[in-house]
């Protein structure tokens, strides 16, 4: 499968290192509100996930917060080697398996992980790569798919930190529903930047029914 090398080269180079420096807080000031923001998401699952995969996990702060809410086995995919190395150290033995690779090719079997998610990741996937990434997420999920991303009613390319092809807004909930008929909506919400470490993001939780 073809991977957009321009996107990967950007996020796994100096640009990615700068992002890493801006998003490395694991103090209670971050982790406490992050945990509370994730609590209603997991609570909306009729069956508590026994396995959780984050695609684009960066240093693993979301998964670390989930260790406070769940005993599920944790899995992570992260393309940037520097972030991947930090994530494996941060999560330690709680990480059942980590993969240093892109979201377009997930090395997991069909329907093998209960809960698969992205947070602030699909917005950085080029539109031409979005079908491949989300198809892999849906393929690997056994029951739940969650995404937490910037929202726009219509697709937008946003100028982001000096680049024109690094951030893309859209209605990701509608994308999942319109593209994957095996999904049904379970819950949705908003992570306000005043009370959470997320930057005014919208989230959707889906369940696979077919």
């Amino acid at each position: 499968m073809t991977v957009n090398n321009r996107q990967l080269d950007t996020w796994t180079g100096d640009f990615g290192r700068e992002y890493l420096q801006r998003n490395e807080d694991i103090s209670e000031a971050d982790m406490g509100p992050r945990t509370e923001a994730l609590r209603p998401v997991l609570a909306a699952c009729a069956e508590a996930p026994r396995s959780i995969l984050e695609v684009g996990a960066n240093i693993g702060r979301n998964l670390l917060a989930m260790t406070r809410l769940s005993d599920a086995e944790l899995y992570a995919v992260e393309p940037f080697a520097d972030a991947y190395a930090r994530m494996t150290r941060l999560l330690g033995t709680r990480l059942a398996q980590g993969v240093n690779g892109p979201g377009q090719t997930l090395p997991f079997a069909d329907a093998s992980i209960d809960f698969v998610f992205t947070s602030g990741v699909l917005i950085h996937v080029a539109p031409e790569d979005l079908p491949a990434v989300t198809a892999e997420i849906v393929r690997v999920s056994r029951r739940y798919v969650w995404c937490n991303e910037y929202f726009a009613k219509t697709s937008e390319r946003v100028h982001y930190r000096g680049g024109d092809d690094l951030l893309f807004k859209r209605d990701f909930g509608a994308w999942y529903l319109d593209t994957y008929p095996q999904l049904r909506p379970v819950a949705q919400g908003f992570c306000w930047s005043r009370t959470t470490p997320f930057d005014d993001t919208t989230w959707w939780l889906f369940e696979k029914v077919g």
Side-chain angles (χ1 to χ4, degrees), residues 3-20 56 58 77-84 99-104 124 166:
V3 175
N4 189 320
N5 289 324
R6 180 186 182 281
Q7 294 289 323
L8 281 179
D9 288 347
T10 299
W11 286 101
T12 58
D14 290 340
F15 190 90
R17 291 186 184 90
E18 293 171 3
Y19 180 89
L20 205 60
N58 200 251
V77 171
E78 170 53 46
F80 185 24
D82 291 9
Y84 175 78
V99 176
N100 180 204
Q104 288 93 331
H124 297 304
L166 297 174

Side-chain angles (χ1 to χ4, degrees), residues 117-164:
F117 78 98
T118 62
S119 181
V121 167
L122 297 183
I123 57 171
H124 297 304
V125 174
E128 60 267 27
D129 290 329
L130 187 63
V133 174
T134 54
E136 282 289 87
I137 287 169
V138 173
R139 177 186 67 79
V140 167
S141 170
R142 185 186 74 83
R143 185 160 185 182
Y144 295 107
V145 170
W146 181 62
C147 72
N148 179 38
E149 309 285 346
Y150 289 149
F151 172 84
K153 289 285 289 184
T154 58
S155 299
E156 299 178 13
R157 289 177 182 260
V158 180
H159 188 76
Y160 177 71
R161 296 186 178 272
D164 290 324

Side-chain angles (χ1 to χ4, degrees), residues 34-46:
R34 187 178 299 270
T35 301
E36 292 311 306
L38 294 172
R39 187 182 300 278
V41 177
L42 293 180
C45 298

